[in-house]
Amino acid sequence: MTGRFVSFEGGEGAGKSTQACMLANALVARGLEVVVTREPGGTPGAEAIRKLLLTTEGEGWGARAEALLFAAARSDHVERLIRPALESGAWVVCDRFLDSSRAYQGGGGGLSDDDILALHRVGSEGLLPDRTLFLTLDAGEAAGRLALRDGDNADRIGGRERAYHDRVDSAFRRFASDEPERFVVVDASGDPQAVHARILASLGELLPS
Ligand code: TYD
């Protein structure tokens, strides 16, 4: 038996990490084996690449090098953690996955969606989540949550200009409307319990009864 793969996507401050943990706990309570993980990161190699991407001093990366680094981190994560977990029958709950590369390096950075998907085919044999939960929140509410979490310490990508993040957001919305069988759009406003309830309801038939 193989497990199910659920990813969380959306802009910064939408509450993805909180909701990923809450979902993982709810699945464990149903007796399922669950691996909760995040990108960029999730394995030692991918966490090392995360540091290169988000915190290393210096001139930073061009859009293409950045896309390759995210794909390399994802490749390690898929090969060493995600695929083995799914093959052992566990559920994998991942805070960001491929669609973040499509939205940030593609929509934000200007690479084509075909190029991002080609990197993913090479790096991760095209593995896709069974369900992708796209958490939406208006920019004002997200900024308020981020100010509480990060203060003035946004990372190298989170700190990019407003126009970049607007392109990221429209790319996510486009994917969600183009791939309605995989994406669920979840209203992330309000208190975490209410959002969690919306998420459980949206997973519907994926959940064992
Ligand atoms: P992180 O702190 O993990 O996420 P968040 O701020 O959403 O809680 O930071 C990860 C950053 O990396 C975030 O700005 C999104 C970005 N990112 C990409 O640009 N491409 C990707 O493929 C992934 C996985 C993340």
Side-chain angles (χ1 to χ4, degrees):
M1 191 197 69
T2 64
R4 298 291 190 176
F5 181 16
V6 178
S7 64
F8 279 85
E9 296 285 5
E12 273 92 336
K16 294 180 299 300
S17 315
T18 305
Q19 291 301 328
C21 278
M22 290 173 85
L23 175 61
N25 290 339
L27 295 172
V28 168
R30 287 168 189 243
L32 296 164
E33 183 97 18
V34 183
V35 171
V36 55
T37 184
R38 67 154 181 193
E39 290 207 342
T43 57
E47 292 288 337
I49 296 175
R50 177 187 176 92
K51 288 206 186 71
L52 292 176
L53 278 161
L54 299 181
T55 54
T56 307
E57 299 292 321
E59 62 183 340
W61 306 100
R64 289 171 188 281
E66 188 176 281
L68 286 159
L69 286 168
F70 275 110
R74 182 162 304 122
S75 175
D76 194 67
H77 190 207
V78 166
E79 181 175 332
R80 298 213 157 110
L81 183 74
I82 297 178
R83 274 200 202 278
L86 292 172
E87 280 160 14
S88 77
W91 280 56
V92 174
V93 175
C94 193
D95 182 355
R96 295 192 181 280
F97 190 66
L98 168 70
D99 300 299
S100 281
S101 286
R102 298 173 72 201
Y104 284 79
Q105 284 64 56
L111 268 76
S112 75
D113 201 41
D114 281 352
D115 282 350
I116 303 286
L117 292 172
L119 296 183
H120 189 56
R121 270 195 299 281
V122 174
S124 303
E125 299 174 285
L127 179 72
L128 288 179
D130 294 296
R131 198 59 45 92
T132 295
L133 302 163
F134 169 37
L135 268 49
T136 61
L137 193 63
D138 74 64
E141 205 172 331
R145 289 186 190 177
L146 274 180
L148 283 177
R149 187 188 79 178
D150 293 349
D152 288 332
N153 298 315
D155 63 48
R156 188 181 255 167
I157 294 177
R160 284 178 185 162
E161 81 275 8
R162 177 69 189 270
Y164 180 93
H165 290 287
D166 287 347
R167 293 198 299 280
V168 168
D169 187 59
S170 17
F172 275 131
R173 289 176 195 278
R174 197 166 59 245
F175 307 148
S177 77
D178 288 352
E179 298 168 59
E181 62 299 332
R182 177 163 68 88
F183 274 86
V184 182
V185 181
V186 180
D187 171 7
S189 62
D191 79 277
Q193 273 304 339
V195 181
H196 174 62
R198 281 176 216 137
I199 286 173
L200 278 186
S202 79
L203 285 175
E205 88 292 0
L206 267 196
L207 292 171
S209 44

